[in-house]
Amino acid sequence: MIKKNTIQVKVGNIHVGGGAPIVVQSMTNTDTANKNETVKQILELWQAGSEIVRITVNNDAAAAQVEAIKKTLLDLGCDVPLVGDFHFNGHKLLQKYKNCAVALDKYRINPGNVGKGSKRDNQFTTMIQIAIDNDKPVRIGVNWGSLDQELLKIMMDQNANLPNPKSANEVMKEALVRSVMESAKYAENLGLAKNKIIVSCKVSDVQDLIIIYEMLAKTCNYPLHLGLTEAGMGTKGIVASAASMGYLLQKGIGDTIRISLTPEPNGSRTQEVIVAQELLQTMGLRSFSPLVIACPGCGRTTSTFFQQLAGDIQAYLRKSMLNWKKQYVGVEEMNVAVMGCVVNGPGESKMANLGISLPGTGEIPVAPVYEDGIKTVTLKGDNIANDFIKIINNYVERKYKKVNGK
């Protein structure tokens, strides 16, 4: 993988691009006017590992609450950067609610939704000038669901007059890239520093996203926000996001990512954060939490005990990381194997930092445990799960250095 050379932009206390680690971000789905619910969800996303959180700022009631939301978060020890998501009326809200403009760490501007006709440039200029006055970065983000229709029509008409016209889909992809690049250059001409600009071109088709971001990467050195918009629910959204973004990240394209999953009814918004982290971690790009290696199960593993144990251990590791990351250096890189029978169990367990090989159907009811490739103990009885968790805790205390040597 070759990391694309991009400018570095500071968003609050987070660096994006310029060789900085790829940043995980998310977005709330609460009504921002409801301060308490919005603060609650931001805290959940931040505790799950979201390093930047975007909130909707769509009306007076929402804009009026932003300063209070920021202050409450800081009072609770949460310094996650907040991004204001503006469409249609952002120029008015940022002018009217100056405290909102100050409290936000970044503004997200969609050129296709800034305004129409002669109003577009004035309204875009207003938002950029407010960003300059408050020393804030912006993300200029184009979506194909809200692409500048005037630009698209011009490009479609030009294409129709060519001897060998391109397909409408090709023209649309080019229009997306042109829209974001022209807007970014215009922002620079207005006085916004280059190291205050992040760009994105989001679509919901995997192949189109790949092509568009390859075009963007060749066109500019602004940091790129990567995301498959409207990815969908459940496994469809996860697979589509991983397929598209995994390919681009492997090519060094992308400086900050969001997995745009539609939550299940009453499902946790934090799932998109966990998926983003696991995508980066399984690709070896960053480490966030110890991961569990577990076999899929087969006819040798008719008991579901190992499946339950694998899930419980993964949940325990992720929960424990909230404190471990404050106490130990490098613990997020630990691998734990929970295997279900003798075929691959001992081998996989030996290759992990910690591994347990549970008995399969008809095997002796004992579970050997391996630490750094060496068998250290054999567990048996009804308390295997708790015994293994104790072994994990002891291993972490012994093997990982304390933060600041304390």
Side-chain angles (χ1 to χ4, degrees), residues 6 31 148 172 196 245 248 317:
T6 57
D31 181 355
D148 181 349
M172 179 174 282
K196 295 290 185 182
M245 286 191 266
L248 291 166
L317 294 172

Side-chain angles (χ1 to χ4, degrees), residues 350-371:
K350 289 176 183 178
M351 288 189 284
N353 296 107
L354 273 173
I356 183 169
S357 181
L358 297 166
T361 304
E363 296 177 11
I364 299 172
V366 295
V369 173
Y370 298 83
E371 298 185 26

Side-chain angles (χ1 to χ4, degrees), residues 218-234:
K218 294 175 182 177
T219 305
C220 72
N221 60 353
Y222 300 117
L224 301 180
H225 171 72
L226 194 58
L228 187 75
T229 192
E230 293 122 20
M233 296 181 71

Side-chain angles (χ1 to χ4, degrees), residues 58 155 182 200 250-251 276 325 329 332 342 362 373 381 384:
N58 59 332
M155 293 182 66
E182 287 184 354
S200 67
Q250 187 63 26
K251 297 189 73 173
K325 66 183 178 182
V329 178
E332 67 275 6
V342 74
I384 287 177

Side-chain angles (χ1 to χ4, degrees), residues 299-366:
R300 292 175 176 269
T301 55
T302 52
S303 168
T304 60
F305 180 72
F306 87 95
Q307 299 166 341
Q308 183 65 48
L309 180 61
D312 290 346
I313 293 300
Q314 183 67 80
Y316 178 79
L317 294 172
R318 185 168 288 279
K319 181 180 178 181
S320 297
M321 270 305 296
L322 294 173
N323 291 320
W324 282 351
K325 66 183 178 182
K326 300 174 185 176
Q327 300 176 25
Y328 302 103
V329 178
V331 68
E332 67 275 6
E333 298 176 1
M334 180 172 66
N335 289 316
V336 179
V338 178
M339 305 301 293
C341 80
V342 74
V343 174
N344 291 319
E348 287 283 0
S349 296
K350 289 176 183 178
M351 288 189 284
N353 296 107
L354 273 173
I356 183 169
S357 181
L358 297 166
T361 304
E363 296 177 11
I364 299 172
V366 295

